[in-house]
């Protein structure tokens, strides 16, 4: 079914196969009245005031199954969801990257309400796309959590699939492309922008991007988290270590974790549990969770297995050319705000068109909606002539 070039036991994917749609289906349709009601119910800090009068489109929702490339360089099937504004054309595309999710079924292709930002973006006039990521949706592989190349490729290939689907549906796209995401989605957004601008500028032209509350400097993030004895979100830490163990074939979770956690982690991340449930099974006390030698070597910056891979997958080593806004709460207790300060300083000193928006007293949870409220009119400013117009 899928063409590949073979060299021994290594399968090199044909670029023409990447982003190819394998199947699609319509999964839902929402009229504008229902979307206004949903936006009002979702709102708890005045997001409905920003969208008031602007939700004029109903939305059709389609699940796409497409080809991408995994961390083993083999073609894999992945899923995602696209949202089409009814009665609109000449559309800008927005790719929205969702935050950390460990439950395979809590993604937009399974239930569009798990990709609520995409629904609202389409109601505002965007052609909105949200990839599930590998390891989620239909994909049964281990999710490559905070792995640069795989994260970027999953988005890029879904953008290809979304463009192909627009042609199938005779939708006119205007060539403008926006990227946005929060938490893990912030990391994936920046990874996608980096990969596009370094290697795919001939194919994509990013209009603007908004990485929000992401761990862009993974070495810095690990250092800030592990300098303390407690971390309130042990699922995030365990997710990354487990993902890297699969990607880099370490096969030795006892190097990182104490028992009984080393033995339990594969079952915790089998795709059936969300991070809240996983947190219930892991201690916030890092000395209880992590193997003593590993924790000491990380704190001393002498650890030889994980630290080099964190450096390899960090994103603070390039300069964005498209306008970028970074958002972060200054009281973020899960992803240190220093990530955004570091990225801003690095990019701006090298000529990047980058702004940093700090959410005062914002935690990881409370900063998301204020960031989105500010983001909507900023993206709008690039596209005044197209938004909210029925054709």
């Amino acid at each position: 079914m899928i063409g590949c070039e073979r060299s021994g036991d290594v399968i090199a994917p044909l670029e023409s196969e990447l982003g190819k749609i394998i199947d699609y289906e319509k999964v839902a349709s929402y009229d504008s009245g229902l979307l206004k009601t949903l936006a009002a119910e979702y709102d708890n800090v005045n997001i409905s005031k920003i969208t008031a009068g602007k939700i004029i489109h109903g939305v059709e929702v389609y699940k796409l199954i497409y080809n991408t490339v995994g961390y083993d360089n083999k073609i894999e099937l992945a899923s995602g969801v696209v949202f089409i504004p009814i009665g609109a054309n000449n559309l800008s595309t927005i790719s929205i990257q969702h935050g950390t999710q460990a439950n395979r079924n809590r993604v937009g292709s399974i239930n569009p309400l798990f990709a609520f930002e995409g629904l609202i973006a389409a109601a505002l006039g965007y052609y909105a796309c949200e990839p599930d990521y590998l390891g989620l949706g239909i994909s049964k592989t281990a999710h490559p959590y905070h792995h640069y190349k795989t994260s970027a490729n999953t988005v890029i290939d879904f953008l290809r699939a979304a463009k192909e689907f627009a042609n199938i549906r005779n939708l006119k796209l205007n060539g403008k492309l926006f990227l946005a995401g929060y938490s893990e989605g912030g990391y994936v957004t920046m990874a996608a922008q980096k990969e596009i601008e370094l290697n795919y500028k001939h194919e994509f032209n990013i209009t603007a991007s908004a990485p929000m509350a992401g761990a862009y400097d993974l070495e810095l993030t690990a250092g800030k988290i592990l300098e303390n004895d407690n971390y309130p979100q042990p699922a995030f830490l365990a997710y990354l270590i487990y993902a890297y163990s699969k990607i880099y074939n370490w096969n030795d979770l006892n190097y990182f974790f104490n028992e009984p956690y080393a033995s339990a982690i594969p079952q915790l991340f089998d795709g059936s549990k969300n991070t809240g449930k996983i947190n219930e099974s892991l201690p916030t006390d890092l000395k209880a969770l992590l193997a003593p030698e590993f924790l000491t070597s990380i704190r001393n910056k002498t650890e030889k297995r994980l630290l080099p891979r964190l450096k390899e997958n960090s994103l603070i080593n390039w300069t964005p050319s498209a306008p970028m806004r970074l958002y972060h709460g200054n009281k973020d207790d899960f992803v240190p705000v220093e990530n955004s300060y570091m990225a801003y300083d690095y990019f701006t000193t090298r000529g990047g068109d980058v702004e940093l928006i700090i959410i005062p007293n914002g935690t990881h949870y409370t900063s998301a909606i204020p960031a989105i409220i500010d983001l909507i009119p900023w993206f709008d400013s690039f596209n005044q002539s197209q938004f909210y117009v029925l054709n």
Side-chain angles (χ1 to χ4, degrees):
M1 180 175 70
I2 299 171
C4 299
E5 293 176 342
R6 294 179 178 269
S7 176
D9 293 328
V10 177
I11 302 175
L14 292 170
E15 183 138 334
S16 61
E17 294 290 337
L18 298 178
K20 180 180 178 181
I21 295 176
I22 303 303
D23 197 9
Y24 65 87
E25 64 173 315
K26 185 175 181 179
V27 295
S29 182
Y30 300 84
D31 65 38
S32 60
L34 177 58
L35 290 172
K36 290 175 186 176
T37 300
L38 290 173
E41 291 177 351
Y42 182 79
D43 169 43
N44 59 4
V45 285
N46 297 322
I47 193 171
S48 60
K49 292 181 180 178
I50 300 295
T51 59
K54 298 178 180 178
I55 294 180
I56 62 175
H57 300 289
V59 176
E60 292 182 341
V61 187
Y62 287 83
K63 173 182 179 179
L64 307 185
I65 298 174
Y66 68 105
N67 286 339
T68 189
V69 59
Y71 49 79
D72 57 0
N73 204 38
K74 296 179 182 178
I75 285 183
E76 296 194 33
L77 293 182
S79 52
V81 62
V82 295
F83 302 89
I84 301 173
I86 298 170
N89 222 319
N90 189 37
L91 303 175
S92 295
T93 301
I94 183 169
S95 179
I96 300 172
Q97 287 62 246
H98 65 75
T100 299
Q101 183 52 256
N103 186 322
R104 187 174 290 116
N105 292 324
R106 293 183 66 84
V107 290
S109 72
I110 303 297
N111 183 341
L113 294 180
F114 291 138
F116 189 73
E117 298 88 345
L119 265 176
I120 296 303
L124 295 175
Y126 283 104
Y127 180 47
C129 317
E130 185 165 319
D132 292 337
Y133 306 155
L134 283 174
L136 303 172
I138 68 159
S139 174
K140 300 299 189 291
T141 190
H143 173 52
Y145 193 58
H146 286 82
H147 183 245
Y148 159 55
K149 277 285 190 179
T150 313
S151 298
N153 288 336
T154 303
V155 174
I156 291 166
D157 292 334
F158 193 58
L159 284 170
R160 291 169 170 152
K163 185 175 181 180
E164 179 186 348
F165 188 67
N167 290 332
I168 291 171
R169 289 295 311 276
N170 294 315
L171 296 174
K172 181 181 178 182
L173 304 180
N174 63 22
K176 293 183 179 179
L177 172 61
F178 299 87
L179 307 177
Y182 193 88
S183 191
E184 182 189 2
Y187 175 89
V188 177
T189 294
M190 190 179 286
Q193 181 171 357
K194 176 183 174 182
E195 186 69 3
I196 287 170
E197 292 189 345
L198 292 182
N199 297 309
Y200 297 100
K201 271 196 165 183
H202 63 286
E203 189 175 352
F204 301 99
N205 182 27
I206 298 170
T207 304
S209 77
M212 297 176 278
Y216 317 118
D217 187 329
L218 295 173
E219 284 185 287
L220 173 105
T221 302
K224 295 295 291 185
I225 289 172
L226 297 178
E227 72 184 11
N228 302 305
D229 287 335
N230 287 277
Y231 180 53
Q233 196 77 5
F236 286 7
L237 182 60
Y239 208 174
L240 183 141
I241 294 173
Y242 179 65
Y244 279 30
S245 295
K246 301 292 285 187
I247 293 167
Y248 299 113
N249 297 308
W250 291 334
N251 300 316
D252 182 15
L253 290 176
N254 291 99
Y255 170 85
F256 302 99
F257 299 102
N258 293 321
E259 291 292 359
Y261 310 111
S263 297
I265 279 171
Q267 287 71 45
L268 293 177
F269 291 99
D270 65 0
S272 67
K273 305 166 189 69
N274 62 27
T275 55
K277 185 62 68 175
I278 294 168
N279 277 328
E280 293 175 4
S281 299
L282 298 175
T284 59
D285 180 351
L286 294 178
K287 290 183 178 179
L289 177 65
L290 299 176
E293 290 185 8
F294 168 68
L295 182 57
T296 298
S297 64
I298 282 280
R299 287 174 169 173
N300 292 338
K301 303 186 187 303
T302 58
E303 198 274 336
K304 301 297 185 184
R305 186 179 295 184
L306 180 64
L307 283 179
R309 296 304 187 178
L310 293 179
K311 182 175 182 179
E312 175 184 310
N313 288 285
S314 291
L315 305 175
I316 315 298
N317 57 358
W318 65 298
T319 304
S321 55
M324 174 188 287
R325 263 196 188 177
L326 298 163
Y327 291 87
H328 218 125
N330 65 353
K331 300 295 185 183
D332 195 320
D333 44 350
F334 297 163
V335 180
V337 67
E338 286 84 356
N339 277 281
S340 291
Y341 286 123
M342 181 75 74
Y344 174 76
D345 289 342
Y346 185 94
F347 294 152
T348 55
T349 57
R350 288 159 179 80
D353 181 5
V354 179
E355 296 179 74
L356 173 58
I357 310 297
I358 295 295
I359 312 299
N361 298 312
T363 68
H364 197 69
Y365 285 136
T366 65
S367 296
I369 298 299
I372 293 169
I373 288 173
D374 191 79
L375 170 63
I376 291 171
W378 185 60
F379 277 0
D380 186 6
S381 71
F382 290 91
N383 226 352
Q384 289 286 355
S385 62
Q386 180 267 334
F387 273 162
Y388 324 129
V389 178
L390 282 166
N391 294 311

